[in-house]
Amino acid sequence: KPIVHWSLATNFFLALVAIVNPIGKIPLWLEASQRESRGASRWLALLVVVTGGAILAVFLIGGQWILQIFGIDMSSFRIGGGIVILLIGIRMLNGDAIRVDPDDLGDGSHPFEEAKTRFSKVMVPLAMPMIAGPGSISTVLIYGSHSQSWADLAILSAVLVVVLALVLGILIVGHRVQSVVGTLVLNVFTRLFGFI
């Protein structure tokens, strides 16, 4: 009978929540989903989280193998990902991290079609690297390599799903947060998180 290392799962949950930082996604999310209907906004949140989650799941299960195929070591991966994060941070400081043209809002025929149109424009940076970025990918790679059985890997996968569900829930209520704290506060936080 395989032994499940629950401390590994607990540490993985805490590390992933800290790295993914769901609250920190709210300013960018509001910018990405502006002028969308409620239905389209929910579909967009689902597309973003599922895409980011799929990338993390692939690296959780076979990340070391993927890096070996391309001859990439972890240090090089972190440097490359860090450059992407740097560019997005600079754009956040300037207040234009996400650029969405009015023509890209969709025709309003169906919320899912609207969401797909917007998703093609905001997949970067929302799904990657804000959810599946160098920090979170490194985290799932490290914890995945520490799993000693399929049971461990199954528990880590379940933890990943829980964290992604948390991110999805926060994105869905993001507009309510905006109505409470106001646009000015969120603009300040956008620039603050861009600096961080």
Side-chain angles (χ1 to χ4, degrees):
K1 182 180 178 180
I3 299 173
V4 178
H5 299 86
W6 292 104
S7 61
L8 182 70
T10 303
N11 292 338
F12 179 54
F13 174 80
L14 295 174
L16 201 55
V17 168
I19 295 285
V20 173
N21 184 18
I23 301 296
K25 304 292 178 282
I26 292 178
L28 271 180
W29 165 248
L30 293 176
E31 192 176 343
S33 60
Q34 60 184 328
R35 297 193 298 274
E36 289 280 5
S37 66
R38 178 177 293 185
S41 180
R42 289 180 176 177
W43 275 114
L44 180 61
L46 184 62
L47 288 171
V48 165
V49 172
V50 167
T51 302
I55 295 169
L56 292 179
V58 167
F59 278 94
L60 175 65
I61 295 169
Q64 298 285 352
W65 181 70
I66 293 171
L67 293 184
Q68 287 174 3
I69 286 179
F70 291 101
I72 302 171
D73 59 23
M74 186 62 73
S75 298
S76 300
F77 178 78
R78 286 177 174 159
I79 291 171
I83 293 171
V84 175
I85 295 288
L86 170 66
L87 296 175
I88 291 171
I90 292 171
R91 287 168 57 184
M92 288 175 72
L93 282 170
N94 292 328
D96 61 347
I98 296 178
R99 301 184 184 95
V100 179
D101 296 328
D103 296 338
D104 296 327
L105 296 178
D107 58 8
S109 59
H110 191 277
F112 182 64
E113 294 302 320
E114 286 184 51
K116 285 198 305 183
T117 301
R118 180 65 64 94
F119 177 71
S120 65
K121 302 296 181 182
V122 303
M123 183 183 78
V124 176
L126 281 180
M128 184 181 68
M130 300 309 287
I131 294 177
S136 55
I137 290 176
S138 299
T139 301
V140 298
L141 269 169
I142 291 168
Y143 280 89
S145 66
H146 288 164
S147 61
Q148 299 177 11
S149 67
W150 283 105
D152 279 345
L153 206 53
I155 293 296
L156 293 180
S157 299
V159 169
L160 176 60
V161 170
V162 169
V163 172
L164 293 171
L166 179 63
V167 174
L168 179 62
I170 288 175
L171 294 185
I172 288 174
V173 301
H175 290 281
R176 294 183 185 177
V177 173
Q178 182 184 35
S179 65
V180 172
V181 301
T183 303
L184 177 62
V185 173
L186 288 174
N187 285 338
V188 170
F189 270 102
T190 298
R191 285 160 175 79
L192 176 63
F193 281 114
F195 179 74
I196 291 173

